[in-house]
Amino acid sequence: MRSERGLLDQHEDTWTEGLPRRSTSQGLVLVLAFVLGVGMVTALPWPSLVASWQPWPTLPTPSRGFRWEPEARVDALRVVALPFTTEPVESDGQPAPTWAARVEEPVVALLPPALTFLLPPASDRDDARDEGLGAPSDPRLAQTSAPHAAERLALARALRPVVAALGEPPSPIEMPCSAGRPGACHGAALDQFFAQWLQTGLRRQGAVTRMSVFGDSLVASDHFTGELRQLLQAQFGDGGHGFLYAGVPDRAVGSQGVMVAASDQWAVRSVVRHSGRDSAFGLGGVSFDPDGRPTLRVVREVAGEPGIERVAFLYRSRGASTPAWILQADGSRLDARDEREARDGVFWFDLPAATRDLRVNHFPPGTRAYGVVVERRGPGFVVDNLGLVSSRESRLERIDAAEWSRQAQGRDTHLLTFFYGANVAGDHLQAAVMQERYRQEVLSVYQRAQSIPGRDCLVVSILTRGERTAGGIRTVGAVRVVHDAQRQAALEAGCAFWSAFESIGGDESAARWQSARPQLLAADLSHPTRAGYRELGRLFYQALLHAFVAWLERP
């Protein structure tokens, strides 16, 4: 069977097929096109293009679920140059309105010629370069009184080539009304998250968009969150790695892009293994009490990537003394002391310079540690890995609700994301009993997340779980039950919902992903392979970006 070919190859074929048979008139057309092309090239703003250029690796074409073809590729289109600077324009010494931010020349920089047909029309790009804007040429601007309407549409135009290349997501994100009623919505589930994402996309100074992903072993490996982090940061800026556990939980947790070395001089308790009166588990569901002199080291692994500029300590003080940490930043000692009167359990400390090798040589005695956050000052994106092996949503209810809320707000995460279900699908219960019991369990967790001020929540459905039968591999029936319970609870709680299950083939997902080449589902028929994690991360990125651009264009 003939394999599917990439968009770039197909487009190039239309220009090369039949070259030896061209007529004289065709030759004259080619000469004219060449002359016009030379004129256009000489008119390009080469200094700004060269200054903004960065090499892009090739990006496999995102799949439409099980129809993924590993040999189909499309070059570039991973990153477009966003048309905004980090500083607003000033006039007569007064800051300009935020919607009048300066728009630089290349909306899309250095796209291969074969892909320029994906650019927005020139008139659209001209609109985006208008500093004063005046009477809007786009009728959608006149339909909204939002102060950021012009910027929103300019950012949407800049992102359209990426959205066009990715195509429609096989399973779009569902966003229930958060204000109003169906048919007359005044707000939707991800509005607060998208509003922060807008600031990051507009390159506002210090605008970091944070996404915290809770989950089981599919999250804990950091393969899924690592791929998502890489894609978002490549387009919208590197905000840093994000959350790290202070030590090693019951089972190791991955961390792509940074090397983490944690000592074992901790007394560790987690929501997976422990319960009872002591519910002080912190944001990630694990507490670390010093048992000796524990240390932590974080190193940015990839040479040339930006270093760490900010660090935060998530902790609980159990004494009257001022908590103090002793750090070593690229060999230089730093003392970090939380001298605030009202301590919320999250202490941010700015490093004097970007640091590649950060060591915490001393944790304050009399405090319980939960985690450490490493970030940059922005603008950029951060994706936290808060996964724990063998976990499930109900375990999060073992965390004290008030402390969990305080830490989520102190961490300043904008989107709480939940990706569970594989362990629940292994429970041997009747479908009707499982669905109602599980729905009640997860509804309580989602409502808790939704109640945290200023935060949005999003539920990612169970991926899949298969079993081998005489007729081959089939998806376990409990997967559909878990999926439907998650969806019902998410929408009832007011959280957004994305079906990873439907995105990879639904009831046929286990067989299709396991038989794909390269193989996307591991031999246990529950966990993806490395190629599967990459594909899953890109499918989620595709759905997120599609929903974000639709929000930008919403009247």
Side-chain angles (χ1 to χ4, degrees), residues 113-469:
L115 294 177
T116 54
F117 70 96
L118 291 176
L119 289 172
S123 60
D124 286 351
R125 297 198 296 274
D126 291 340
D127 290 342
R129 285 194 294 268
D130 273 336
E131 291 183 335
L133 290 174
S137 58
D138 193 318
R140 287 173 298 183
L141 292 182
Q143 295 173 2
T144 177
S145 59
H148 298 298
E151 288 180 328
R152 285 171 61 154
L153 288 179
L155 181 57
R157 293 187 191 104
L159 292 172
R160 281 174 191 159
V162 181
V163 173
L166 294 174
E168 292 288 327
S171 181
I173 294 175
E174 297 182 63
M175 291 175 286
C177 271
S178 60
R181 62 185 188 279
C185 268
H186 305 302
L190 297 182
D191 280 358
Q192 298 175 105
F193 172 62
F194 286 158
Q196 178 63 27
W197 190 347
L198 170 64
Q199 298 306 307
T200 300
L202 295 178
R203 314 302 296 157
R204 294 284 187 262
Q205 189 170 8
V208 176
T209 300
R210 302 177 180 91
M211 178 178 181
S212 298
V213 185
F214 298 82
D216 49 30
S217 54
L218 274 74
V219 173
S221 66
D222 204 38
H223 296 323
F224 166 64
T225 43
E227 179 66 21
L228 183 62
R229 186 183 304 118
Q230 181 181 10
L231 289 168
L232 286 166
Q233 291 183 350
Q235 178 60 72
F236 297 98
D238 187 345
H241 181 84
F243 179 89
L244 297 165
Y245 289 104
V248 180
D250 305 310
R251 302 273 293 276
V253 175
S255 55
Q256 291 194 15
V258 296
M259 185 276 289
V260 181
S263 67
D264 59 357
Q265 296 180 356
W266 294 105
V268 182
R269 297 178 70 255
S270 79
V271 293
V272 176
R273 306 292 181 192
H274 303 87
S275 61
R277 294 181 182 178
D278 190 351
S279 58
F281 289 105
L283 180 66
V286 186
S287 66
F288 300 88
D289 291 302
D291 185 15
R293 299 188 63 182
T295 61
L296 178 68
R297 183 183 182 188
V298 183
V299 180
R300 289 292 296 231
E301 290 185 305
V302 181
E305 288 193 352
I308 302 164
E309 296 178 336
R310 304 181 71 208
V311 59
F313 299 96
L314 282 68
Y315 74 97
R316 184 180 192 184
S317 178
R318 295 187 291 182
S321 60
T322 300
W325 295 260
I326 299 176
L327 313 180
Q328 189 173 335
D330 289 335
S332 300
R333 171 172 168 154
L334 300 170
D335 293 326
R337 299 173 60 85
D338 187 0
E339 297 178 338
R340 299 170 301 162
E341 292 185 9
R343 301 184 189 125
D344 57 7
V346 181
F347 171 52
W348 287 92
F349 182 75
D350 287 337
L351 301 175
T355 301
R356 298 199 60 79
D357 188 344
L358 177 67
R359 305 186 189 208
V360 184
N361 293 328
H362 172 78
F363 285 84
T367 61
R368 169 173 289 179
Y370 298 132
V372 174
V373 175
V374 291
E375 286 190 358
R376 291 179 53 75
R377 294 188 180 92
F381 237 97
V382 176
V383 179
D384 291 337
N385 169 11
L386 291 152
L388 291 173
V389 177
S390 301
S391 189
R392 54 183 70 190
E393 292 101 332
S394 61
R395 299 294 185 263
L396 295 177
E397 289 209 285
R398 295 177 177 177
I399 306 173
D400 179 75
E403 184 169 48
W404 196 61
S405 176
R406 283 195 304 271
Q407 293 224 331
Q409 293 178 76
R411 167 73 187 96
D412 198 19
T413 188
H414 304 101
L415 181 64
L416 300 170
T417 304
F418 303 95
F419 185 16
Y420 293 92
N423 296 312
V424 178
D427 293 345
H428 299 288
L429 295 173
Q430 290 183 343
V433 174
M434 172 187 286
Q435 182 162 353
E436 183 54 28
R437 180 185 298 179
Y438 180 60
R439 189 190 70 82
Q440 291 293 339
E441 286 180 358
V442 298
L443 177 61
S444 177
V445 174
Y446 302 160
Q447 288 174 331
R448 178 191 285 197
Q450 187 70 350
S451 68
I452 301 177
R455 321 296 142 184
D456 283 332
C457 64
L458 186 153
V459 176
V460 176
S461 81
I462 181 174
L463 183 65
T464 192
R465 185 169 184 143
E467 62 182 0
R468 291 178 172 84
T469 66

